[in-house]
Amino acid sequence: MLDTPEAVVEALRENHERPHGPARTVTAEELVETAEVFEKPDVLVTALLELMTAYEFTGEQRKSPVVFARILKLWDTTPESFSPYEAHQVFWRFKWVTTSLLQVPEMPLASIDGWIDQMRSRYEAADHGVQPVAAMRYHLAHHTGAGAADAYDLWATRPRTDLSDCEACETRHHAWHHVVEGDDTAALDIWRPVLDREQECSEEPQMSQARALLPLLRAGRVDEARSHHLTGYRRVRGATGMQAEVGHHLEFCAHSRNEGRGLEILAENRPLFEAKGAPLDHLHFLTGAEVLLARLVEAGHDDTAVAGPPGRAWTAAELLAHVRGESEALADAFDARNGTTAVGDGRRARLALAPLLDEPLPLGLRVTAARTASADAAPVAPASAGIAIPDDFADLVREARRLARDGHPGDTRLWTRVAERLADATEPYDDALGPEDLLAAELAEDRAQQLWFKDRHTSGAAELDTAAGHFEKLDMPWHALAARARARAWVTAPGSRDGDAPAHAPDRTALDELLREAERLLTSAPFDGEPLGAAEAFYGADLRAERILAYLAVRYSVAFSAFQELHIALTGTEEDQEDPDRKGQVAAITERFETSTDTLCSEASRLGYPHQAANARQFRADLLARRGALAEAEEELRAALRDIESAGRPWRRPRPSLHLAQILLAQQRPQEATDLLHSVIADALAHDDPTLPLGPTYLLLGHAATHLDDVGGAVRHLSEAAARFDQADAPGSAVEARLQLADVLARSGRQADAVAVLESALTDVPPTVDARMTAQGRLTLGRGLRDLEEYLPAAEELLRLADTVAGWSEEDRGDVLTLVAAEAATTLALAERWEAADTAYERALAAHAEAPHPPLITLMMREFARLTLQTRDSEGTDTALEHLARADAVLAAVPSNQKDFAVWYERGENHYRRARILAEAGRFDEALPEAESAIAAHEEGGERGELPRAEAVRVAALIEGNGLDRAAAALTRLTAASARCRKAGHPQAADVLDALRQELRSR
């Protein structure tokens, strides 16, 4: 019952601990009504201040001035009802009221100006400095656009006072002034302490992170922009008091060409469309949404479903019209109130800004909202300027044929255009292009090739059979033979997405028969022979080249089939490899492979087409690498690249170069691999190769950057890899790239970035992703949330992971359950959910009994001891000491011969924690021996024990000097320990000890 002042004060304290939102605000309103009945107004003062705080931080500034008027009346009539803190808040919140009045277009400027005058008078009367008053004058001038430069100078040149905004917020205002003035460089320089988190408060850095996004993009600092979007958006998501900042993130998505991400943010913040308690901030949210929606509509996505105000479905065009009408009306209302066009001009300038990037900035996130064309259809490699698409249909076909004969990847785009033109049914066929069946065969071959690169091998083989049928009808046996051979080799390639890929070995009989047919053809239709029909005659002078290439295609198919068969044979179990019959089979398959690749290589060289010899070398290199013969594999690949150079076909370099980069990485040569991978991408772009797997290429670049300790490069490349896998419809690979990205971010200390990536990556994980990799990602997410002090979400994540791991087999589970359960228990304790923490604690002990993990269990017990003393006062010292006794028992049970376990460290930390707990309980005589036992234990660790030993010495000296009044002994201890630390190469530890020695001496 809230029938006493004490009960209401306790309810106010509990409400103050709740997150800002409607529930906290409603409770604050109810508590004001309850406090009004008491005779003394001191509780009412506290309740009104709490209500004003709730309005301020939930975007209800329209209501804030009325509450402050009541507070001011109480201040004037019963100032003794205010505590010193509350008295300070009276003057502090004059600033809140000024900015709240600016938020409401119905509030006349004269009233706001008069309010600032009253603020000045009260400040002067109370002998407060007037720098905060100058700040309010500036905010008014900045808002109206009248006299902003002079007002800024008057504010910026005055000294700060104890009533000035915090340094972080003032830094934001200074930086934003320069952004508005068009000086991004100065703004970003000013912003640095906030963006680097040297200055923080409840509103920072998230407000500055949102506002700095476009200046960072304009400055080309895209890596920083990505990071601030990832970390900053999490802190403003769904917050009505941060709707202007959400608008800036929407705007960033439009300008970084991440419209799909923008739609996702719009959906996550749908309630903000109805959050109108702070009209100016609401206008900024609407403007950000308008920028995004206008971009969608301009790109032709009028009918895209989007999230708008609740209650109905919206398309992009409909929501744009709605938002535009509301934001125009709001901007006009502010301009009418202000007598200037500043607010409307600012809105129009934001809408007029063109996207700041030419290509989407990879964010490392999985976008689950409806995607835009620019996100869906971003080409894997932009079209090269050298691959023009002729307008004339006949020229288009001729150019496609020319590129196809050279094996140039640019033919794909042209054949696609040919098919589109034919599908229009408006393109008259030109007999000068040869028989229509010839074009049908060529288009079938192109479709087959595209299916191959999508891993739809069986479907691709069917298209090749279709092409072969057309070639046979046209009396073009060489071309039919090549198509049949490729089809027979393809159907047995592993990894097909068709769902019906055969599991049997390659059809040697069919391929051998096709090879014999090729040899027969050499007699009846030799390379230099006469055309066999009108279609083949159409090739004219290229007939010899066409037949040679067809012959080599058959040889290639035989070699490819043998390569696949040998690869399958070598991937059996160890028992399979030791079986005598199996050994004989492998030997026969190996001989077939070597014979077919040797023949392909020699025939390609003899006939003058060394790029086919390069193919044979790539097969050899692959198998050599799988056997661990990396140097030999590298030699083959470099020879393949020389073959390609001599063939004059540079567009064939990317794949062997990509394989070579993998070999170099495996040989710990990351810089060479990096240089080579950049050349792979450059070649793909230069020769318009849409088939190169850029996802794996960027993934390798990310790995290489990690090996080079280039965190920024690793983040860029892994983010790009994830985006490329998304485009290639490879969700499993995309998740794995994001998990690797998050690991890089977490290991480099960027926990907030890692958490943002993991929250995205771990949503609807495909079953193809390795369960242990997913579990590691969830563990990293839980730890990241804990590092961000989001203890309850962290604990929930770890508990879910523990449940998952508990379902694994005993062999797979190992001691993972022990680790996860222990971390979950500690995190629940940090969240002060003690009942759940105690349950998780016992679960961890049970898991430890089955799969011991002493370091994690003893760490958990020490943390429980520490937190018990801090947050469970009723349980006291004895309970904390019980946890440490259990930790000692765990160590005592560890076998003396256990390897890779620093028992000295664990024992020393137990003594150290017991010393601290006893000292905090005032039991100094017991605490000192524990500290000395900690020193002795860490002594056993040698060089590794020096730093924890120094910390134990520091605590022992504090106990001696402060608790036991033995300053001389403490000084002697510190002098010796400091000298030891300097000798061991730990000057910072020595400085800490010296500082304590100086403090004790000064007493």
Side-chain angles (χ1 to χ4, degrees), residues 505-506 508 560-570 589 592:
R508 296 183 195 170
F560 175 78
S561 175
F563 164 73
Q564 295 290 351
E565 188 174 9
L566 182 55
H567 170 58
I568 293 169
L570 293 174
I589 296 170
R592 177 182 176 85

Side-chain angles (χ1 to χ4, degrees), residues 68-107:
F68 190 68
R70 295 183 64 185
I71 294 171
L72 207 55
K73 184 176 180 180
L74 290 168
W75 172 251
D76 289 336
T77 56
T78 59
E80 68 278 5
S81 301
F82 290 72
S83 69
Y85 168 78
E86 290 168 340
H88 180 81
Q89 286 296 302
V90 170
F91 291 95
W92 182 270
R93 297 192 185 197
F94 268 96
K95 300 178 298 180
W96 287 14
V97 174
T98 303
T99 54
S100 294
L101 294 174
L102 282 175
Q103 284 274 354
V104 184
E106 296 86 1
M107 181 60 61

Side-chain angles (χ1 to χ4, degrees), residues 15 19-29 54 58 60 238 240:
N15 195 47
H20 288 293
R24 175 172 170 175
T25 302
V26 169
T27 302
E29 290 172 337
T58 53
E60 292 286 351
T240 53

Side-chain angles (χ1 to χ4, degrees), residues 12-169:
L12 285 167
R13 187 194 66 77
E14 291 178 359
N15 195 47
H16 186 76
E17 296 298 319
R18 294 188 177 99
H20 288 293
R24 175 172 170 175
T25 302
V26 169
T27 302
E29 290 172 337
E30 293 171 349
L31 290 173
V32 166
E33 293 178 7
T34 304
E36 287 173 335
V37 304
F38 300 125
E39 182 178 351
K40 290 184 178 182
D42 52 344
V43 178
L44 179 59
V45 168
T46 305
L48 288 169
L49 286 168
E50 170 62 24
L51 178 58
M52 191 176 179
T53 300
Y55 286 151
E56 179 72 16
F57 290 97
T58 53
E60 292 286 351
Q61 284 93 332
R62 190 187 287 272
K63 300 176 181 179
S64 192
V66 176
V67 178
F68 190 68
R70 295 183 64 185
I71 294 171
L72 207 55
K73 184 176 180 180
L74 290 168
W75 172 251
D76 289 336
T77 56
T78 59
E80 68 278 5
S81 301
F82 290 72
S83 69
Y85 168 78
E86 290 168 340
H88 180 81
Q89 286 296 302
V90 170
F91 291 95
W92 182 270
R93 297 192 185 197
F94 268 96
K95 300 178 298 180
W96 287 14
V97 174
T98 303
T99 54
S100 294
L101 294 174
L102 282 175
Q103 284 274 354
V104 184
E106 296 86 1
M107 181 60 61
L109 275 189
S111 298
I112 301 173
D113 200 55
W115 177 259
I116 298 175
D117 287 341
Q118 181 185 167
M119 177 183 174
R120 183 184 186 93
S121 297
R122 286 184 178 263
Y123 270 50
E124 289 175 340
D127 201 25
H128 290 303
V130 295
Q131 190 261 14
V133 179
M136 294 304 103
R137 290 282 180 206
Y138 165 71
H139 292 322
L140 174 59
H142 170 80
H143 172 70
T144 62
D150 291 340
Y152 179 78
D153 288 340
L154 287 171
W155 164 48
T157 56
R158 289 181 181 272
R160 287 172 47 78
T161 76
D162 63 345
L163 287 169
S164 298
D165 283 344
C166 76
E167 281 191 283
C169 287

Side-chain angles (χ1 to χ4, degrees), residues 144-402:
T144 62
D150 291 340
Y152 179 78
D153 288 340
L154 287 171
W155 164 48
T157 56
R158 289 181 181 272
R160 287 172 47 78
T161 76
D162 63 345
L163 287 169
S164 298
D165 283 344
C166 76
E167 281 191 283
C169 287
E170 283 211 339
T171 295
R172 176 182 76 247
H173 294 312
H174 284 300
W176 191 246
H177 173 78
H178 287 281
V179 171
V180 173
E181 293 294 310
D183 191 348
D184 287 339
T185 301
L188 292 170
D189 286 343
I190 292 168
W191 249 322
R192 186 196 57 75
V194 174
L195 297 180
D196 289 351
R197 307 196 73 151
E198 294 170 11
Q199 297 175 355
E200 292 185 275
C201 69
S202 62
E203 296 179 334
E204 291 295 349
Q206 60 266 34
M207 292 184 77
S208 289
Q209 286 176 313
R211 292 166 185 259
L213 291 171
L214 295 195
L216 286 167
L217 286 184
R218 286 193 288 262
R221 293 161 60 174
V222 295
D223 290 345
E224 294 170 73
R226 176 198 296 111
S227 177
H228 290 309
H229 171 66
L230 292 178
T231 62
Y233 173 67
R234 286 190 75 252
R235 298 187 66 176
V236 304
R237 177 176 54 199
T240 53
M242 291 281 178
Q243 59 176 314
E245 284 62 45
V246 174
H248 287 299
H249 282 281
L250 289 169
E251 198 171 4
F252 163 79
C253 290
H255 288 293
S256 64
R257 297 186 182 272
N258 279 284
E259 294 87 351
R261 167 69 170 165
L263 292 181
E264 193 170 70
I265 290 175
L266 211 57
E268 289 178 337
N269 294 274
R270 199 171 189 182
L272 296 187
F273 284 104
E274 298 180 324
K276 301 181 181 181
L280 187 58
D281 284 347
H282 191 58
L283 172 61
H284 289 313
F285 165 70
L286 292 174
T287 302
E290 190 175 355
V291 170
L292 173 70
L293 294 165
R295 167 94 178 113
L296 285 169
V297 171
E298 287 167 10
H301 301 288
D302 309 52
D303 296 330
T304 297
V306 298
R312 56 159 290 188
W314 297 87
T315 66
E318 291 168 342
L319 185 57
L320 176 61
H322 173 82
V323 166
R324 181 167 288 164
E326 187 175 351
S327 58
E328 279 180 353
L330 269 176
D332 290 346
F334 279 110
D335 285 344
R337 187 271 301 273
N338 298 338
T340 67
T341 61
V343 174
D345 288 345
R347 171 180 168 272
R348 286 185 285 273
R350 290 171 70 179
L351 292 170
L353 187 63
L356 297 173
L357 300 181
D358 294 331
E359 295 292 331
L361 172 64
L363 300 176
L365 301 176
R366 170 179 175 265
V367 176
T368 57
R371 303 186 59 165
T372 68
S374 63
D376 278 338
V380 173
S384 166
I387 306 299
I389 300 181
D391 290 329
D392 180 76
F393 183 72
D395 290 342
L396 176 65
V397 174
R398 291 189 185 99
E399 182 63 9
R401 284 173 172 165
R402 184 186 70 81

Side-chain angles (χ1 to χ4, degrees), residues 544-729:
R544 181 179 187 278
E546 288 290 323
R547 288 181 173 180
I548 290 175
L549 288 172
Y551 167 70
L552 291 176
V554 176
R555 287 285 181 191
Y556 169 85
S557 298
V558 172
F560 175 78
S561 175
F563 164 73
Q564 295 290 351
E565 188 174 9
L566 182 55
H567 170 58
I568 293 169
L570 293 174
T571 55
T573 65
E574 290 187 15
E575 291 183 1
D576 290 339
Q577 303 300 334
E578 293 302 317
D579 180 80
D581 292 337
R582 176 80 170 184
K583 284 184 177 181
Q585 293 171 1
V586 171
I589 296 170
T590 300
E591 183 180 358
R592 177 182 176 85
F593 168 75
E594 291 174 350
T595 300
S596 61
T597 51
D598 288 347
T599 304
L600 174 60
C601 204
S602 61
E603 286 291 87
S605 299
R606 178 180 71 83
L607 294 168
Y609 289 89
H611 67 277
Q612 283 285 15
N615 289 332
R617 296 187 189 279
Q618 289 178 72
F619 294 148
R620 293 174 186 163
D622 188 286
L623 289 170
L624 286 166
R626 293 174 191 273
R627 292 169 177 166
L630 299 182
E632 292 88 339
E634 178 186 351
E635 184 179 339
E636 285 286 358
L637 288 168
R638 293 197 184 278
L641 289 169
R642 289 193 295 271
D643 285 337
I644 288 169
E645 287 301 312
S646 66
R649 300 191 177 205
W651 49 85
R652 300 185 73 96
R653 284 193 301 246
R655 281 175 175 75
S657 296
L658 185 59
H659 193 183
L660 178 56
Q662 291 176 292
I663 300 296
L664 293 172
L665 265 180
Q667 293 176 310
Q668 304 302 313
R669 294 155 67 183
Q671 187 58 62
E672 292 176 71
T674 297
D675 296 341
L676 193 58
L677 288 165
H678 282 301
S679 73
V680 166
I681 295 170
D683 275 339
L685 295 177
H687 301 294
D688 192 15
D689 186 351
T691 65
L692 183 76
L694 283 181
T697 304
Y698 279 107
L699 195 66
L700 282 175
L701 267 172
H703 293 165
T706 303
H707 286 296
L708 293 168
D709 294 325
D710 177 9
V711 174
V715 170
R716 283 193 300 276
H717 300 318
L718 291 172
S719 298
E720 184 72 45
R724 297 292 181 169
F725 283 128
D726 283 339
Q727 293 171 13
D729 191 24

